[in-house]
Amino acid sequence: MTEAGILRTQLYDSHVSLGARMVPFAGYDMPVQYPSGIIAEHNWTRQHAGLFDVSHMGQCFIVGDAFEATAAAMERLVPANIAGLAPRQQRYSQLLNEAGGVIDDLMITRSDYKGHEGWLYVVVNAGRKHIDYAHIEKNLPEGVSLKQGEGMSLLALQGPQAEDVLARHAPGVRDLAFMHYVAASIDGIEAHISRSGYTGEDGFEISVFDCDVTKLWNLLLADPLVKPMGLGARDSLRLEAGLCLHGHDIDGTTNPVEAGLLWSIGKRRRTDGGFIGAAKVLAEIADGPSRKRAGIRPDGRAPARDGAVIADRQGRHIGSVTSGGFGPSVNGPIAMGYVETKYSVHGTPLHLIVRGKPLPAAVAPLPFVPHKFKR
């Protein structure tokens, strides 16, 4: 931690030595880009393999003697089918408030480690982890507890050649299914490797102890297919992939149905409920949401940033942009935002109000770049 109270990951010195431009993000000093620039980093990840330091994310465990108990406890908090997880399987979901709003989105994995078979491994967003931990602990039943992951770092290796790179050190990853994990030794480093990520590309997230992360970072960067990536490329990649960012596309005022995340709500849970916020979510499923998250393609080259007003062609305000910027892979501006449901049909003409001027745009299908997850 710096004198100003900003936290640093174990790789801070490595980022600085590589010429990264460091910025404050979620309480941490993080690399936003390296000397090659965001577009070059973005394109490298789409073509080869990009390595991200995501150690600022929160890693924790839901601890209990039996999986049935921890799964039931977590199903009180999220709308996903946690009880249906197979050992080593991972699932995306959301912590919800009483109004069905998204406190945070998170990844939940069923442990298969010896002696920890009843545990769940959970990864939450950096800027929300203390809020998430408090909310989870407040709502856990007796016999189930939350254990924060101390002394743990997290890397993400993403891109079409990520498998080739990692398989040179851990051959078993070639057989690893999407949204599952494997425990592996990478040149003597004990690692928890999941096939998942936030770029739309095939890739892995690798959890290791703090004491090993610099060695692993340097080992992976020694491969000519791998280059370091900053937060800028991480954001442009996830935007092209149509993936939500908490605090922008989802927050405490948005529910998973209007956010287009119905696929993440278990079939059983859509009828039985039983989770915090279920009344709102089930009503949205039954009646349909009044607004929906939509992809938007502006005409021309001017991007529409977060907060820009979305209007119909007659000038009536119908929503707002939640994420927007330049998409290097599509070579043009892209955005996501919420619009009244009747305007969410693909091809619907819109106006985006940028610097007080209406710019023509149209609703576009998500994702902007097809997902390449290895299923």
Side-chain angles (χ1 to χ4, degrees):
M1 181 180 293
T2 67
E3 291 182 2
I6 302 296
L7 298 168
R8 290 174 173 172
T9 73
Q10 296 293 312
L11 292 171
Y12 174 84
D13 290 339
S14 298
H15 299 315
V16 172
S17 70
L18 291 169
R21 180 161 71 87
M22 308 299 288
V23 299
F25 179 79
Y28 286 78
D29 211 355
M30 296 295 292
V32 68
Q33 66 179 76
Y34 293 86
S36 62
I38 292 173
I39 292 178
E41 293 174 32
H42 176 112
N43 290 333
W44 186 271
T45 302
R46 287 275 185 251
Q47 297 162 8
H48 304 289
L51 184 62
F52 301 80
D53 176 15
V54 290
S55 302
H56 58 315
M57 303 288 280
Q59 301 181 68
C60 69
F61 304 90
I62 308 302
V63 178
D65 292 334
F67 169 68
E68 291 75 16
T70 53
M74 206 64 193
E75 286 199 351
R76 166 69 178 152
L77 295 164
V78 303
N81 176 12
I82 305 303
L85 282 171
R88 302 192 181 193
Q89 187 178 13
Q90 174 177 296
R91 194 156 279 161
Y92 168 81
S93 195
Q94 310 85 32
L95 288 175
L96 303 181
N97 59 31
E98 292 288 353
V102 180
I103 297 171
D104 197 11
D105 57 342
L106 67 170
M107 289 287 194
I108 304 165
T109 305
R110 179 178 176 179
S111 171
D112 195 34
Y113 289 105
K114 187 174 181 180
H116 295 160
E117 290 88 352
W119 292 27
L120 297 171
Y121 167 57
V122 179
V123 180
V124 303
N125 284 304
R128 305 292 294 175
K129 56 186 171 185
H130 298 301
I131 295 170
D132 294 350
Y133 294 163
H135 176 76
I136 292 171
E137 287 185 313
K138 177 183 176 181
N139 289 284
L140 289 178
E142 186 175 352
V144 179
S145 61
L146 182 144
K147 177 181 173 61
Q148 295 186 30
E150 297 179 354
M152 299 170 67
S153 293
L154 190 65
L155 300 181
L157 183 66
Q158 302 283 296
Q161 293 180 308
E163 181 185 278
D164 290 339
V165 170
L166 197 54
R168 288 194 248 282
H169 308 282
V173 300
R174 292 198 185 277
D175 299 322
L176 184 60
F178 180 58
M179 296 293 276
H180 286 72
Y181 84 84
V182 65
S185 178
I186 303 174
D187 285 22
I189 299 169
E190 296 306 311
H192 172 103
I193 305 170
S194 69
R195 193 162 211 142
S196 57
Y198 193 47
T199 63
E201 296 291 332
D202 182 31
F204 306 89
E205 293 189 340
I206 310 166
S207 179
V208 297
F209 290 116
D210 285 349
C211 59
D212 292 322
V213 70
T214 300
K215 177 183 175 181
L216 180 59
W217 173 266
N218 291 333
L219 178 69
L220 295 174
L221 282 184
D223 194 302
L225 296 177
V226 181
K227 290 186 178 181
M229 302 290 139
L231 294 175
R234 183 171 164 83
D235 190 56
S236 60
L237 289 159
R238 72 92 194 167
L239 177 55
E240 286 188 344
L243 302 176
C244 293
L245 174 63
H246 192 275
H248 293 257
D249 313 295
I250 49 175
D251 59 26
T253 69
T254 59
N255 67 70
V257 181
E258 63 188 1
L261 302 175
L262 181 60
W263 57 268
S264 69
I265 302 176
K267 185 176 180 180
R268 165 176 56 86
R269 323 257 14 236
R270 299 180 197 184
T271 54
D272 296 351
F275 53 89
I276 295 172
K280 174 64 174 179
V281 171
L282 298 189
E284 290 278 286
I285 293 173
D287 302 332
S290 61
R291 62 174 185 166
K292 287 185 178 180
R293 179 172 63 96
I296 303 168
R297 289 295 303 268
D299 292 353
R301 306 292 291 177
R305 303 296 181 183
D306 308 358
V309 168
I310 304 171
D312 63 19
R313 287 295 173 93
Q314 286 70 49
R316 188 174 71 87
H317 293 189
I318 59 170
S320 61
V321 171
T322 53
S323 289
F326 181 77
S329 303
V330 300
N331 192 29
I334 53 176
M336 296 191 297
Y338 285 87
V339 296
E340 295 174 13
T341 298
K342 68 178 181 179
Y343 291 96
S344 64
V345 178
H346 300 161
T348 300
L350 304 169
H351 273 139
L352 303 177
I353 311 303
V354 179
R355 299 186 184 90
K357 296 182 178 180
L359 301 181
V363 174
L366 292 172
F368 299 103
V369 173
H371 292 167
K372 299 173 185 174
F373 304 129
K374 185 174 179 179
R375 300 185 185 277

